[in-house]
Amino acid sequence: MGVLSEELKQRIADEFPKYPEKRAVLLTALHFIQAEHDGWIPPGASKEVAELLEIHQIDVEEVISFYSLFHDEPVGKFHIQVCANLSCCLAGARPLIRAFEEKLDIRSGEVTEDGVFSIAEVECLGSCGTAPMLQVNNEPFLENLKPDDVPGILDKLRSRLGEGKR
Amino acid sequence: MSDETAASAPSTMNGRFKKPVKVVIDGREITAEAGHPLLQVALDNGIEIPHYCYHPKLSIDGSCRMCQVKIEKAPKLAIACNTPVTDGMVVDTTCDEVAFARKGVMELLLINHPLDCPICDQAGECYLQDYSFGYGSQESRTSSPRRKGLKRHPIGERVIFDQERCILCRRCVRFTKEISKTDELRVFGIGDKSRIGTTSERPLNNDYSINTADICPVGALLSRDFHHKRRVWFLQEHESVCPSCSNGCNVKLGIYNNEIQRMVPRRNDEVNDTWMCDHGRLNYHFAQDETRVRTPLIRDDAHAAPASGNGAGADVKYATTLDAALEAAAEKLRGAVSVHGGGAIGVLGSPHLTNEDLFRLVQLVNALGTPNFDMIVPVGPADDFLIKPEKAANAAGARALGVKPGDGGKDAQAILEGAKSGELRVLLIVGSADAARVLGETGIKDAVAKLDALIVVDANRSPLTDAATIVLPGLVWAEKDGSFTNHAGRVQRVRQAMEPHADLQPEGALFARLAALFARGSAPAAYDAAATLREIAAGVPAFASIGFDTLGSAGLALQEPGAAGAAEAAAPAQA
């Protein structure tokens, strides 16, 4: 049994006609896989994608490692991505990250034991005017934040836990 | 760095000559082929432009930024590697702007580079050291700690990776993509987290993996065989040819204390570009390990009894002098020929010997008057790149010189059969490992029991040297001057890089002396490889234009076999 379902493979194959060559579908395919597998790319998936796109497995792994959007290890249900570039840092991204770390009792780059939250420092998300800011999963930005906002943000996210898959 | 200029085979002379253009580099007007990389044009004309990621045999990456130069009318500095030359281009490689840019590149490359040159194998042939000295700054402007990374990581069976030293030039990545076509290496991560790596399932284990250590401009990828073995500035380097297969990859032998420390490829675009296979590179230990035969030996029952006094005579061999061993061999050969005729002698030559050695062997065989003359060429796995099936350096040379059965003579298989059956009285085997393998343990016993004498000439021990009546020590390729002919008929120089043990002599000298002793003639002139090759050139049309003076570093092709009646007719007739 492969890691990827037949249905998922078919969805990836359906993308082929849109591009000049199969390898161009790689990013789309990885997004599909993450959406189906709790936000990360499970072991074995890169091999199956490589076969599907007729490229080397190492090419797939290279791309996964390059983009902070792709994860080869589990992330939390709510993946909290705090911008740690210049504008946000000047406006207080460090204290913000520290507040999340203290509240969740994990370090940046880690996942809470219950698998609900993870924190990551990411490169510029293009919202310097509203620094410091963050993005949860692929949702709209949360902007102009202060460390005091952290408990409220977490409570709001927790309240959504029953809603099922994101 | 000399391997990076096209001096040995100018690319502008290969018949595909494109439109020539004129460029001016540092005030010098240079004619070049349109479209060639500016960097290569400069290097070919002796103008140094520092660079890390550019390699003449790999695609252009443009990642290191070290080769920036100023081009007139261009808005900003350009990287010379990815700038094709165009007519009228005016380039400045020495102005302050360029010097400032290089200094900046060096500062960033060194910001995380460990200062472990004292224990780094690359030290002494390191681009980072050279360019730091030439173009860098003497001091660091940062005090933050250097990034930590993998040290002494076994990235493959034969290659060690030091992540901290890597400058991410990606030469190794391109090598596995474009040359070995095995795709084990990639750059993982992004920005300052970028790192070279493999997947866990596929380490860097291809047949050409150690070439990545050669092209690594710093000490990030290293040959495990050479790891912490010797500082490179203690090595004396000698040009030679790899002896492990018939491709004849050009190499440099690094010698210290009369031992080979490493073998690295030398650029020859006609043979191996700048590469060689791992097997060939690591197959030099036989030149200096405990299997070397260093003493002439005679097994002699007549001497054995009184000397040992315990009746174990037949199994005892006596170290002797070369003169005595040669005399004894000649006597055995003479005895067999006078009683049974030349046909009672079988001779197996060796495709591992030089052309010069083999020419003297052919002369010896003619003197003996036996048609039973052949060789065993070991074969093994091959690929469509450098690794050839014939696992000997000079099988083609041996064929061109006439190492083959004479009229009605026995081939190698029949010679060994004849030795076992008693049909042959004396067997002379040169280079014995392959014959020993073919004969097997019982075959050797049978042959020794039936033969009057088994004379073995070899540089290394084998079951046959152990069983032989007379052993004459040979030399390995690194101990002699001479030439090999590769699979394509290209004759290439090998040069003496090591002193032979005691007063051992090249096989060519042994054969010449043996021929003289056999004929009870006067001693031959002192053996000289250069003179022998002159004799070959005079006597064998295929070799007509070939001599040490004309071979140079790159070698020369044999004359086409058809052209001059060829080697066939030229090989001295067998009796």
Side-chain angles (χ1 to χ4, degrees):
Chain A
M1 254 286 278
V3 179
L4 309 182
S5 67
E6 287 308 314
E7 188 214 331
L8 183 54
K9 284 183 185 172
Q10 189 54 51
R11 275 178 61 209
I12 292 170
D14 288 344
E15 296 288 314
F16 292 160
K18 299 182 188 168
Y19 299 89
E21 49 184 1
K22 287 185 178 178
R23 66 181 301 137
V25 178
L26 182 54
L27 293 184
T28 309
L30 293 175
H31 280 303
F32 286 177
I33 295 167
Q34 282 207 155
E36 291 255 317
H37 289 91
D38 298 325
W40 68 293
I41 297 166
S46 58
K47 184 161 182 274
E48 290 178 33
V49 180
E51 282 166 10
L52 218 53
L53 305 189
E54 291 163 23
I55 56 180
H56 295 286
Q57 183 185 344
I58 196 169
D59 290 325
V60 179
E61 292 178 11
E62 184 184 28
V63 167
I64 295 172
S65 77
F66 184 86
Y67 291 101
S68 58
L69 304 168
F70 296 128
H71 311 289
D72 54 6
E73 282 175 356
V75 291
K77 196 166 192 58
F78 299 110
H79 187 51
I80 300 164
Q81 304 161 89
V82 187
C83 173
N85 274 176
L86 187 61
S87 302
C88 287
C89 275
L90 288 174
R94 284 287 150 210
L96 185 66
I97 293 166
R98 225 168 291 133
F100 276 112
E101 289 181 331
E102 277 166 21
K103 205 78 194 148
L104 294 172
D105 199 21
I106 55 171
R107 308 263 312 263
S108 163
E110 294 177 347
V111 189
T112 54
E113 229 160 80
D114 57 8
V116 174
F117 296 104
S118 53
I119 314 170
E121 293 166 35
V122 297
E123 311 300 319
C124 183
L125 292 170
S127 191
C128 304
T130 59
M133 54 78 67
L134 64 80
Q135 185 182 26
V136 176
N137 299 340
N138 272 331
E139 297 170 9
F141 293 163
L142 302 180
E143 303 170 306
N144 293 316
L145 301 172
K146 300 181 294 296
D148 291 347
D149 299 330
V150 168
I153 293 171
L154 293 176
D155 286 345
K156 224 179 239 170
L157 291 173
R158 266 199 203 94
S159 69
R160 288 166 47 193
L161 267 179
E163 292 173 16
K165 275 202 167 170
R166 52 190 174 138
Chain B
M1 283 178 217
S2 61
D3 272 1
E4 305 210 334
T5 62
S8 56
S11 53
T12 44
M13 287 189 180
N14 60 5
R16 295 182 288 106
F17 195 84
K18 288 194 209 145
K19 190 170 151 265
V21 294
K22 280 199 165 48
V23 296
V24 177
I25 305 178
D26 295 343
R28 260 180 67 195
E29 189 172 284
I30 290 166
T31 307
E33 195 176 318
H36 263 213
L38 172 57
L39 176 53
Q40 189 65 58
V41 171
L43 295 174
D44 289 350
N45 286 281
I47 298 168
E48 191 191 78
I49 298 178
H51 59 281
Y52 294 104
C53 68
Y54 177 81
H55 188 279
K57 297 293 176 187
L58 299 172
S59 66
I60 289 168
D61 201 63
S63 57
C64 77
R65 317 310 290 181
M66 191 62 192
C67 68
Q68 295 178 81
V69 293
K70 189 169 179 59
I71 300 173
E72 223 174 76
K73 296 194 188 114
K76 54 179 185 172
L77 300 184
I79 48 174
C81 64
N82 204 21
T83 303
V85 288
T86 55
D87 206 27
M89 188 179 263
V90 179
V91 182
D92 190 340
T93 75
T94 57
C95 62
D96 289 348
E97 200 180 342
V98 168
F100 183 73
R102 287 172 180 167
K103 208 169 180 173
V105 170
M106 284 308 302
E107 184 170 23
L108 291 177
L109 286 176
L110 290 172
I111 219 160
N112 277 308
H113 194 84
L115 288 171
D116 59 359
C117 303
I119 56 148
C120 178
D121 286 334
Q122 190 81 3
E125 50 185 16
C126 176
Y127 283 49
L128 213 48
Q129 280 187 330
D130 293 351
Y131 293 165
S132 181
F133 185 76
Y135 310 106
S137 167
Q138 294 306 305
E139 49 200 55
S140 171
R141 290 192 291 165
T142 62
S143 56
S144 38
R146 279 152 208 269
R147 190 174 57 208
K148 296 288 174 204
L150 297 172
K151 299 293 270 185
R152 295 175 293 281
H153 173 67
I155 199 164
E157 277 168 28
R158 297 173 291 281
V159 182
I160 296 173
F161 178 45
D162 187 305
Q163 198 176 59
E164 292 180 351
R165 295 177 190 156
C166 177
I167 60 166
L168 293 164
C169 71
R170 294 193 279 217
R171 279 182 169 191
C172 55
V173 175
R174 283 173 283 152
F175 178 85
T176 65
K177 273 188 184 174
E178 299 161 15
I179 306 296
S180 71
K181 300 191 171 71
T182 45
D183 290 280
E184 293 103 336
L185 294 174
R186 286 293 184 272
V187 179
F188 293 98
I190 179 173
D192 76 336
K193 294 188 188 67
S194 300
R195 66 210 179 268
I196 298 290
T198 63
T199 62
S200 52
E201 306 92 79
R202 290 189 68 225
L204 181 63
N205 278 344
N206 67 68
D207 290 339
Y208 298 88
S209 67
I210 311 176
N211 289 295
T212 58
D214 294 336
I215 59 176
C216 182
V218 299
L221 291 168
L222 300 164
S223 161
R224 186 173 293 195
D225 180 65
F226 188 64
H227 193 45
H228 290 177
K229 204 164 167 185
R230 199 68 60 193
R231 309 307 322 206
V232 296
W233 51 85
F234 289 133
L235 300 181
Q236 286 177 301
E237 297 215 302
H238 299 263
E239 292 190 354
S240 190
V241 170
C242 172
S244 290
C245 86
S246 63
N247 198 57
C249 290
N250 289 210
V251 299
K252 277 181 286 190
L253 298 174
I255 306 287
Y256 177 80
N257 204 11
N258 208 35
E259 287 198 349
I260 301 172
Q261 307 293 317
R262 68 172 183 185
M263 184 148 68
V264 292
R266 175 165 59 88
R267 181 167 177 178
N268 187 336
D269 289 354
E270 301 296 319
V271 180
N272 55 304
D273 285 343
T274 59
W275 320 119
M276 74 183 297
C277 77
D278 288 1
H279 172 78
R281 183 195 300 256
L282 299 178
N283 187 25
Y284 64 82
H285 297 275
F286 70 89
Q288 53 218 24
D289 67 14
E290 69 288 350
T291 68
R292 281 300 300 272
V293 177
R294 310 261 195 211
T295 340
L297 297 167
I298 301 178
R299 178 203 309 250
D300 189 337
D301 302 350
H303 290 136
S308 68
N310 60 8
D315 287 317
V316 179
K317 270 208 281 286
Y318 292 89
T320 183
T321 62
L322 197 54
D323 288 350
L326 282 166
E327 184 59 61
E331 201 178 300
K332 294 286 187 191
L333 291 166
R334 221 168 23 235
V337 171
S338 64
V339 179
H340 307 283
I345 295 172
V347 178
L348 284 181
S350 165
H352 302 285
L353 298 187
T354 62
N355 290 318
E356 295 72 18
D357 291 332
L358 290 166
F359 183 71
R360 295 297 177 209
L361 177 63
V362 171
Q363 288 182 324
L364 169 64
V365 169
N366 288 341
L368 296 173
T370 176
N372 305 322
F373 181 31
D374 201 359
M375 63 178 169
I376 299 172
V377 182
V379 292
D383 63 17
D384 56 4
F385 187 32
L386 299 179
I387 303 172
K388 297 290 179 282
E390 291 194 330
K391 303 301 174 194
N394 200 26
R399 290 189 193 104
L401 291 165
V403 179
K404 59 188 151 195
D407 284 341
K410 297 177 188 299
D411 66 6
Q413 197 63 40
I415 288 169
L416 294 177
E417 287 305 318
K420 285 193 284 187
S421 69
E423 199 185 330
L424 296 177
R425 303 312 314 157
V426 174
L427 182 56
L428 170 62
I429 296 184
V430 184
S432 57
D434 300 307
R437 205 182 50 243
V438 173
L439 275 171
E441 203 178 322
T442 49
I444 293 173
K445 263 193 197 128
D446 292 348
V448 169
K450 289 279 169 56
L451 287 167
D452 292 343
L454 170 62
I455 305 167
V456 176
V457 182
D458 207 334
N460 294 84
R461 260 185 79 175
S462 79
L464 270 169
T465 57
D466 291 348
T469 324
I470 297 166
V471 178
L472 298 166
L475 299 185
V476 296
W477 97 111
E479 289 168 331
K480 39 190 178 187
D481 280 311
S483 60
F484 286 149
T485 310
N486 83 348
H487 72 107
R490 187 180 193 83
V491 183
Q492 309 190 93
R493 267 304 298 277
V494 293
R495 289 177 168 79
Q496 186 185 17
M498 301 158 71
E499 283 297 321
H501 194 255
D503 36 82
L504 300 187
Q505 295 174 6
E507 284 85 340
L510 302 182
F511 301 145
R513 291 183 61 190
L514 201 49
L517 288 167
F518 172 78
R520 296 185 197 278
S522 49
Y527 172 80
D528 173 50
T532 306
L533 188 55
R534 280 196 294 276
E535 264 186 71
I536 297 175
V540 185
F543 284 84
S545 56
I546 288 168
F548 280 3
D549 48 345
T550 57
L551 285 179
S553 299
L556 273 179
L558 283 180
Q559 313 268 309
E560 282 299 316
E568 288 285 339
Q574 320 249 329

